[in-house]
C-alpha cells in the first residue's frame, strides 16, 4: 500500500444526516480543550446556529458535553470523558509511573481494575529482587480477598458492597463476609489505603491505594506486593506515601 493511498473508512451507503452531524460535533468537542461555542459548531457543521444549539443541548442532555457558565462554550462531559478514558490509555500512561514506583520501592507493583466482583490486574512492573512477586497481568481475584480489591470499592456504599458479594458468603468464624468487608472498608477509607498480610498467598503482603479518574471517582487501584518479612510494619507508611504519589501522578495523566 502506497503512503499516499487513502486508508480512511469508506462512507456508509445510506448515511443518516442527523447522526453524522451529532458524531462530528462530538469529535469537535473532544478535540477542543477550550470548548466549542454555538457559532463555531454552526460553521463547522454547515448548519444554522439554531440547529447547532439543539445538537449541543442534546449531547449535553446525555452527559457527553457540559456548558461553561462563564464562557458559554461546550466542553467534554463526564460520559464522553469516560469513553475516552479507556483501559488501554490508562495502562499506556501509567506504565512509566509504575516502573518508576517499582524502582523506588524495590518491589513489584500492579495496576488493577474492577470487573464485576473481581479485581483484575492490567499491568505489572516487577521489582528487582530475585525473591519477588511476578507478573500478574490478567490475573483476577475476588474483590473481598485483598487490599487492591478493597480499594476498588472505596466509592461503593454498604448496600452496593452487599449486592456485589455472593449471598451466603461467610468469612472467618462463620460471620457474613459482607459485614466484615464493610467494617474493613470503613477503616480503609479513613486511612486512605488498604493492606493485607498473607490473605491471597501465605508470606505475601499487599499495600494498595485507589486511583481516581478526572471526575474524582475510583477507577483503578495500584498496589505493592512483597514478601511480608522484607517490609516491617514501621516502613509501611513510607511505602503508602509513595503509592499515593504515584496514584496522583496517574490521575494527572488520564485524559481530561
Amino acid at each position: 500500500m502506497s503512503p499516499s493511498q487513502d486508508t480512511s473508512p469508506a462512507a456508509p451507503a445510506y448515511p443518516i444526516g442527523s447522526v453524522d452531524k451529532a458524531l462530528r460535533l462530538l469529535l469537535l468537542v473532544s478535540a477542543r480543550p477550550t470548548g466549542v461555542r454555538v457559532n463555531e459548531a454552526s460553521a463547522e457543521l454547515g448548519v444554522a446556529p439554531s440547529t447547532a444549539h439543539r445538537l449541543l443541548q442534546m449531547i449535553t442532555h446525555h452527559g457527553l458535553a457540559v456548558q461553561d457558565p462563564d464562557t458559554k462554550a461546550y466542553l467534554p462531559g463526564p460520559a464522553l470523558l469516560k469513553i475516552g478514558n479507556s483501559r488501554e490509555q490508562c495502562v499506556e500512561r501509567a506504565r512509566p509511573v509504575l516502573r518508576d514506583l517499582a524502582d523506588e520501592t524495590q518491589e513489584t507493583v500492579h495496576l488493577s481494575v474492577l470487573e464485576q466482583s473481581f479485581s483484575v490486574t492490567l499491568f505489572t512492573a516487577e521489582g528487582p529482587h530475585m525473591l519477588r512477586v511476578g507478573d500478574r497481568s490478567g490475573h483476577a481475584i475476588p474483590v473481598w480477598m485483598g487490599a487492591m480489591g478493597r480499594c476498588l470499592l472505596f466509592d461503593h456504599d454498604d448496600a452496593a458492597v452487599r449486592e456485589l458479594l455472593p449471598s451466603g458468603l461467610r468469612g472467618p468464624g462463620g460471620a457474613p463476609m459482607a459485614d466484615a468487608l464493610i467494617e474493613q472498608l470503613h477503616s480503609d477509607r479513613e486511612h486512605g489505603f488498604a493492606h493485607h498480610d498473607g490473605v491471597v498467598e501465605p508470606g505475601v503482603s499487599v499495600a494498595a491505594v485507589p486511583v481516581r479518574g478526572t471526575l474524582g471517582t475510583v477507577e483503578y487501584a495500584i498496589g505493592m506486593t512483597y514478601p511480608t518479612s522484607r517490609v516491617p510494619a514501621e516502613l509501611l507508611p513510607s511505602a503508602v506515601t509513595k503509592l499515593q504519589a504515584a496514584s496522583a501522578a496517574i490521575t494527572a495523566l488520564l485524559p481530561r
Side-chain angles (χ1 to χ4, degrees), residues 132-216:
R132 65 179 183 270
V133 177
D135 191 343
R136 298 296 176 87
S137 298
H139 186 66
I141 63 171
V143 289
W144 59 87
M145 283 188 64
M148 295 189 72
R150 298 204 308 269
C151 284
L152 291 168
L153 299 181
F154 267 29
D155 285 349
H156 287 57
D157 60 23
D158 293 357
V161 172
R162 292 186 186 280
E163 186 176 337
L164 198 62
L165 269 61
S167 59
L169 188 66
R170 299 285 172 175
M177 178 63 77
D179 291 347
L181 178 59
I182 287 169
E183 182 179 357
Q184 183 63 60
L185 276 170
H186 289 172
S187 175
D188 292 341
R189 293 189 192 104
E190 182 179 345
H191 291 94
F193 73 95
H195 174 260
H196 75 246
D197 292 324
V199 174
V200 180
E201 293 183 30
V204 175
S205 296
V206 178
V209 299
V211 177
R212 296 188 178 274
T214 55
L215 300 177

Side-chain angles (χ1 to χ4, degrees), residues 42-128:
S42 171
E44 288 284 346
L45 299 177
V47 298
S50 59
T51 300
H53 185 245
R54 288 197 299 272
L55 287 168
L56 285 164
Q57 285 186 318
M58 183 56 66
I59 65 173
T60 299
H61 172 70
H62 288 287
L64 295 163
V66 292
Q67 187 178 30
D68 187 307
D70 297 323
T71 67
K72 304 303 181 185
Y74 289 83
L75 304 162
L80 187 58
L81 289 171
K82 188 172 183 180
I83 293 171
N85 187 15
S86 67
R87 292 180 185 179
E88 292 78 10
Q89 287 178 306
C90 178
V91 171
E92 185 65 27
R93 299 182 184 200
R95 186 177 286 116
V97 176
L98 294 174
R99 285 177 174 156
D100 287 346
L101 180 61
D103 288 341
E104 185 179 10
T105 61
Q106 297 286 286
E107 301 293 351
T108 296
V109 295
H110 311 275
L111 174 73
S112 293
V113 69
L114 181 66
E115 282 192 5
Q116 297 179 341
S117 59
F118 291 88
S119 169
V120 179
T121 302
L122 298 177
F123 176 75
T124 295
E126 293 188 37

